[in-house]
Amino acid sequence: LVLSDKAALADPHPRRGQAAAAAVASPASTLYDVAREAGVSTATVSRLVHGHDRVKASTRQRVLDVIEALGYVPDGAAQSLSRKRKQVVGLVAVASRGPESDIEQTSLLFVEEVLRGVESSLGEIGWSLLISFVQAGDSASQRLQSLSGKVDGLLIAEGIVSSHELARLRARLPIALVAGSPDEPDVDVVDADNRSGTKALVCHLVETHGYRRLFYVAGPDEAPDAIARRSAFNEVLAEHRGMRAAGYYEGRFSAFSGKQAAQELMALPDRDLPDAIICANDQMAIGAMRELQAGGLRVPADIAVVGFDDIYPGSLIAPSLTTVRQPMRQLGQRACSRLLERIADPGLPHQVELLPTELIVRESCGCPSQTVPSLHADAGAGAGGRRMISGSEVGS
Amino acid sequence: LVLSDKAALADPHPRRGQAAAAAVASPASTLYDVAREAGVSTATVSRLVHGHDRVKASTRQRVLDVIEALGYVPDGAAQSLSRKRKQVVGLVAVASRGPESDIEQTSLLFVEEVLRGVESSLGEIGWSLLISFVQAGDSASQRLQSLSGKVDGLLIAEGIVSSHELARLRARLPIALVAGSPDEPDVDVVDADNRSGTKALVCHLVETHGYRRLFYVAGPDEAPDAIARRSAFNEVLAEHRGMRAAGYYEGRFSAFSGKQAAQELMALPDRDLPDAIICANDQMAIGAMRELQAGGLRVPADIAVVGFDDIYPGSLIAPSLTTVRQPMRQLGQRACSRLLERIADPGLPHQVELLPTELIVRESCGCPSQTVPSLHADAGAGAGGRRMISGSEVGS
DNA sequence: CTGTTAGCGCCTTCAA
DNA sequence: TTGAAGGCGCTAACAG
């Protein structure tokens, strides 16, 4: 196949004259270039590019050759404009919840996993993912607006966007919340069943181990899951006669917070320690555990510590961390498909969907250590630990 | 401000007639809508939206009000098409290097950090990040092509794209490699200085600890950094008279690989153990260390183990892991600004830029344990450990 | 089966 | 300071 010099050819399409004249460093070729070289109309090329069948075989091959030779790839912006669909969804996630967690790479795992889930769902249908990290503080209204102009729908993680801002966005495009507040009106929400998870965990401490004095290290108030977990904790307490919390500490989901909580605890007058510390996430549990150990306490002999999330380091430390796993990847996938459904049909009723969590019993709660933790390639609870699914539900 | 009913108005712009007629569920408003409501031309609105000064104050306010009332946000696709610039860059990263690492959430940290670096650089100038994960195996040619039509430039991480594919892409748009092969022609490459890092680490083992029998657990051959690290290891050996490797194992950067390496080692006839195991990344080091311990060996007393990357769990396990840190976030930032420079001026000469790494000395190499590891909010080496910067360089 | 032709929504000279 | 109008590259009727 011999291609004529683009710039030297008479341009049959007047609108292309300018571009052809400016042919330096071969600007990416367009549909017109292909059509011209192949001697067909742009419509034909367009059809071919999209695998349309009704094309004569001879024509087809010729056009395909030209496309290959020119290295033609359709321009996404033009496609979006023409189709009135960008085939892109945006994901808004937390950059960090405060200065201290800046250096705690682990906090990123939640978002990272959700991200993977979303991307894989999107990839299957040829859509793309635009991502934007927002500081827990700023309103970031600017960036969100501009983002909203580049996507067909928005996934928002961990309630990082204010209700007010959410309302504005909702008016422009479909939105789904991942681990966001289930109370937010007029948006879809997909979340882990924090309540069941927490209850399973706390019940284990109370019923299996007989712990009575429970100290709770909560997450920040802005985080919807922090709230859900805390209130579930209180529920369990209320359900067991005569039990009350040994105390609360409000952390920021960082290991540093956990450390502070532990310090505060150990500074109590007569070191009147609780039986167990329940942390709203693993990060804090790890921070607390290390601090307790540094202070000479034995975990779980002197005091038990448990977390939530089941992050990887939790299975590595000694004692290994008892926790609750949430299906992060799946959260991303479910939220994504919900969003896609809504993009396809904006009239759909809004839903809140809770995915089941799983109690991961390891050593830090006081249970005997398991058989040698495996690093096998099987899916599941990762390094050792008993697994128990807690309930899920789909509601209104 | 009172807005007239869009659908009921006579439409002054003939091309909009159709859309106005179909006015159900208020389709997002356009520049025309704003212009019409404000009684000005679209040019004026466009200028205003972009903060253009030369606009009469009275007009300005009126238009701004309409924009607010209509909730107008410019359509990204149309902007891109018109400006011939999408203000989006793509990031291509590994989904996983094989089935086993699927469940090892930690492997994600490298990409995750790079991602953050890139996104923050981009955010500052109002650009967006499109991300795509690719399986280590597939060519993913399809997805890459389509991606390339949606962005102004591409960042490719960890040499996940073949040289061949790279050549095709390079012809269409600017490309920068993050932790890619420094030998790749005609692309910018930003990488950690794996060579200096490895050498600093191995020299520490040899010179400080006097270890002579070193076993190396390498990463997969497709990974450029795995190659760089392994050859740096060999260099050090060559530089010390009479030293030779006690053996090699080629892993896949997963903890499971590390475990297998350790098993193989322990299965040797007379358990003729090396003095130290150098792993090409922390994941494998952790896997190996746990397996050795499970086999009754003491680390580092019986055998030292070191890694590379400085992932979070490495500072948590016992003994804490001696390793080399690479500035992942910075890698992302540097690669990003390089790419942006090239997008602005495609004529720029290509460069390879190596960022300095840092030796993090902890316990697993045999050094005495540090003072109580801190969880303080300071930047730097994280939980405990001495820090030493190894060289950097900018070449070709 | 293939070509023609309006737009998609915005930006950007060029005039006024 | 403002308006008019021609693209940007592609898609999708609608004809032929």
Side-chain angles (χ1 to χ4, degrees):
Chain A
L1 178 73
V2 178
L3 295 174
S4 47
D5 177 358
K6 279 164 61 182
L9 278 181
D11 190 342
H13 193 293
R15 294 160 73 190
R16 297 288 304 156
Q18 182 186 359
V24 216
S26 93
S29 48
T30 73
L31 204 55
Y32 293 114
D33 299 323
V34 177
R36 173 159 28 81
E37 292 293 337
V40 297
S41 74
T42 59
T44 301
V45 180
S46 178
R47 288 181 190 114
L48 226 43
V49 168
H50 297 81
H52 203 296
D53 290 350
R54 304 29 169 27
V55 188
K56 206 200 297 170
S58 65
T59 316
R60 146 176 262 115
Q61 195 50 55
R62 186 156 36 98
V63 177
L64 255 26
D65 284 345
V66 176
I67 289 180
E68 177 64 24
L70 252 34
Y72 168 74
V73 173
D75 181 85
Q79 289 184 309
S80 303
L81 185 56
S82 183
R83 301 204 250 245
K84 306 173 107 177
R85 182 133 294 177
K86 305 181 173 62
Q87 306 203 143
V88 175
V89 327
L91 173 62
V92 180
V94 276
S96 75
R97 289 204 176 276
E100 81 252 25
S101 59
D102 232 26
I103 56 161
E104 288 182 22
Q105 311 177 330
T106 324
S107 73
L108 314 178
L109 282 175
F110 177 81
V111 171
E112 164 81 7
E113 281 295 301
V114 171
L115 184 66
R116 303 254 167 179
V118 173
E119 203 275 342
S120 75
S121 300
L122 249 27
E124 285 171 11
I125 57 170
W127 286 43
S128 305
L129 179 61
L130 210 50
I131 118 160
S132 186
F133 294 109
V134 168
Q135 283 291 340
D138 351 334
S139 78
S141 176
Q142 273 309 308
R143 297 183 60 191
L144 290 175
Q145 289 294 312
S146 122
L147 218 198
S148 75
K150 296 176 160 182
V151 302
D152 292 320
L154 231 36
L155 251 19
I156 296 179
E158 302 183 76
I160 182 66
V161 171
S162 71
S163 277
H164 175 65
E165 193 62 36
L166 216 51
R168 298 181 54 154
L169 291 171
R170 205 175 52 217
R172 282 188 38 72
L173 35 53
I175 290 189
L177 266 33
V178 186
S181 165
D183 307 322
E184 204 62 56
D186 302 322
V187 288
D188 290 304
V189 180
V190 175
D191 198 356
D193 191 341
N194 290 298
R195 185 161 161 280
S196 299
T198 300
K199 293 184 81 163
L201 177 64
V202 179
C203 283
H204 174 77
L205 297 180
V206 172
E207 292 163 11
T208 303
H209 294 282
Y211 298 141
R212 311 300 297 172
R213 304 173 44 70
L214 308 181
F215 187 92
Y216 194 76
V217 180
D221 257 354
E222 326 90 70
D225 44 1
I227 296 173
R229 292 170 196 175
R230 181 210 283 250
S231 66
F233 169 75
N234 286 326
E235 261 183 64
V236 176
L237 253 43
E239 288 164 4
H240 290 81
R241 294 192 53 78
M243 283 199 60
R244 64 172 220 296
Y248 293 90
Y249 180 90
E250 180 174 327
R252 307 207 46 78
F253 273 162
S254 65
F256 185 62
S257 292
K259 172 183 176 158
Q260 291 183 308
Q263 283 173 338
E264 192 156 296
L265 216 47
M266 293 190 293
L268 288 180
D270 47 357
R271 283 182 68 121
D272 184 19
L273 295 172
D275 299 326
I277 301 180
I278 293 93
C279 300
N281 79 349
D282 285 352
Q283 297 258 75
M284 297 196 294
I286 291 173
M289 196 158 97
R290 299 191 73 204
E291 186 65 14
L292 293 172
Q293 291 173 322
L297 293 172
R298 291 165 306 159
V299 177
D302 295 327
I303 184 169
V305 176
V306 299
F308 200 111
D309 278 354
D310 191 29
I311 63 179
Y312 182 58
S315 65
L316 259 26
I317 56 176
S320 56
L321 191 65
T322 289
T323 186
V324 175
R325 156 177 306 186
Q326 51 176 332
M328 303 182 277
R329 206 119 160 183
Q330 269 185 55
L331 282 179
Q333 293 173 333
R334 291 300 308 138
C336 184
S337 58
R338 258 216 173 333
L339 184 64
L340 290 172
E341 283 166 29
R342 176 163 305 286
I343 289 173
D345 176 5
L348 251 36
H350 295 275
Q351 292 198 4
V352 173
E353 180 175 348
L354 298 184
L355 267 38
T357 55
E358 194 182 310
L359 177 59
I360 306 291
V361 177
R362 297 207 187 89
E363 302 163 359
S364 71
C365 60
C367 279
S369 67
Q370 302 295 304
T371 52
V372 181
S374 77
L375 279 172
H376 283 303
D378 60 342
R386 287 197 292 276
R387 308 165 55 190
M388 313 163 67
I389 307 277
S390 15
S392 70
E393 82 184 70
V394 174
S396 160
Chain B
L1 177 73
V2 178
L3 293 174
S4 46
D5 177 358
K6 280 163 63 181
L9 276 182
D11 190 343
H13 193 294
R15 294 162 74 190
R16 297 289 302 157
Q18 181 187 1
V24 216
S26 93
S29 48
T30 74
L31 203 54
Y32 291 111
D33 299 322
V34 177
R36 174 161 24 84
E37 291 295 337
V40 297
S41 74
T42 59
T44 301
V45 180
S46 178
R47 289 181 189 114
L48 224 48
V49 168
H50 298 89
H52 203 297
D53 291 350
R54 299 47 162 17
V55 189
K56 206 200 295 174
S58 64
T59 315
R60 146 175 263 114
Q61 196 49 55
R62 186 157 35 100
V63 177
L64 255 26
D65 285 346
V66 176
I67 289 179
E68 177 64 24
L70 252 34
Y72 168 73
V73 172
D75 180 85
Q79 289 183 310
S80 303
L81 185 57
S82 185
R83 300 205 252 248
K84 304 172 111 182
R85 181 133 294 176
K86 304 180 175 60
Q87 307 204 139
V88 175
V89 327
L91 173 61
V92 181
V94 275
S96 76
R97 289 203 175 278
E100 84 251 25
S101 60
D102 233 27
I103 56 159
E104 289 184 20
Q105 311 177 330
T106 324
S107 74
L108 314 177
L109 282 175
F110 177 81
V111 171
E112 164 82 6
E113 281 295 301
V114 169
L115 183 67
R116 302 256 168 178
V118 172
E119 202 275 343
S120 76
S121 299
L122 249 28
E124 286 172 10
I125 57 170
W127 285 43
S128 305
L129 179 61
L130 211 48
I131 117 159
S132 186
F133 294 109
V134 168
Q135 282 293 339
D138 8 327
S139 77
S141 178
Q142 273 310 307
R143 297 183 59 190
L144 290 174
Q145 290 291 314
S146 120
L147 218 199
S148 76
K150 295 177 162 182
V151 301
D152 292 321
L154 232 35
L155 251 20
I156 297 178
E158 302 183 75
I160 182 68
V161 172
S162 71
S163 276
H164 176 65
E165 193 61 36
L166 216 51
R168 298 180 54 152
L169 292 171
R170 204 174 53 217
R172 282 187 36 74
L173 35 54
I175 290 188
L177 265 34
V178 186
S181 164
D183 308 322
E184 204 62 57
D186 302 322
V187 289
D188 290 304
V189 180
V190 175
D191 198 356
D193 191 342
N194 289 298
R195 185 161 161 279
S196 299
T198 301
K199 294 184 79 163
L201 176 65
V202 180
C203 283
H204 175 78
L205 297 181
V206 173
E207 291 162 11
T208 303
H209 294 281
Y211 298 141
R212 313 300 297 171
R213 304 173 43 71
L214 309 181
F215 188 92
Y216 194 76
V217 180
D221 258 355
E222 328 89 70
D225 45 359
I227 296 174
R229 290 171 196 174
R230 180 210 284 249
S231 67
F233 169 74
N234 287 327
E235 262 184 64
V236 176
L237 252 44
E239 287 164 5
H240 289 82
R241 294 191 55 77
M243 283 199 59
R244 64 171 220 297
Y248 292 90
Y249 181 90
E250 181 173 328
R252 306 211 44 82
F253 273 164
S254 65
F256 185 62
S257 293
K259 170 179 176 160
Q260 289 182 307
Q263 283 173 336
E264 191 157 298
L265 216 49
M266 292 191 293
L268 288 181
D270 47 357
R271 279 181 72 121
D272 183 19
L273 292 172
D275 299 326
I277 301 180
I278 293 93
C279 300
N281 79 349
D282 285 352
Q283 296 259 77
M284 296 196 294
I286 291 173
M289 197 159 97
R290 300 191 73 205
E291 185 65 13
L292 293 171
Q293 292 173 324
L297 292 172
R298 291 164 307 160
V299 177
D302 296 326
I303 185 168
V305 177
V306 299
F308 200 111
D309 280 352
D310 191 28
I311 63 178
Y312 183 59
S315 66
L316 258 27
I317 57 176
S320 56
L321 191 65
T322 289
T323 186
V324 175
R325 157 179 307 187
Q326 52 178 332
M328 303 181 277
R329 205 118 159 187
Q330 269 185 55
L331 282 179
Q333 292 174 333
R334 291 301 308 137
C336 184
S337 57
R338 256 212 175 336
L339 184 64
L340 290 172
E341 282 166 31
R342 175 163 307 286
I343 289 173
D345 176 5
L348 252 35
H350 295 275
Q351 293 197 5
V352 173
E353 181 175 347
L354 298 185
L355 266 36
T357 55
E358 195 181 311
L359 176 61
I360 307 291
V361 177
R362 297 206 187 90
E363 302 163 0
S364 70
C365 60
C367 278
S369 67
Q370 303 295 305
T371 52
V372 181
S374 77
L375 279 173
H376 284 302
D378 60 341
R386 287 198 291 278
R387 308 164 55 191
M388 315 164 66
I389 308 278
S390 16
S392 70
E393 82 183 68
V394 175
S396 160

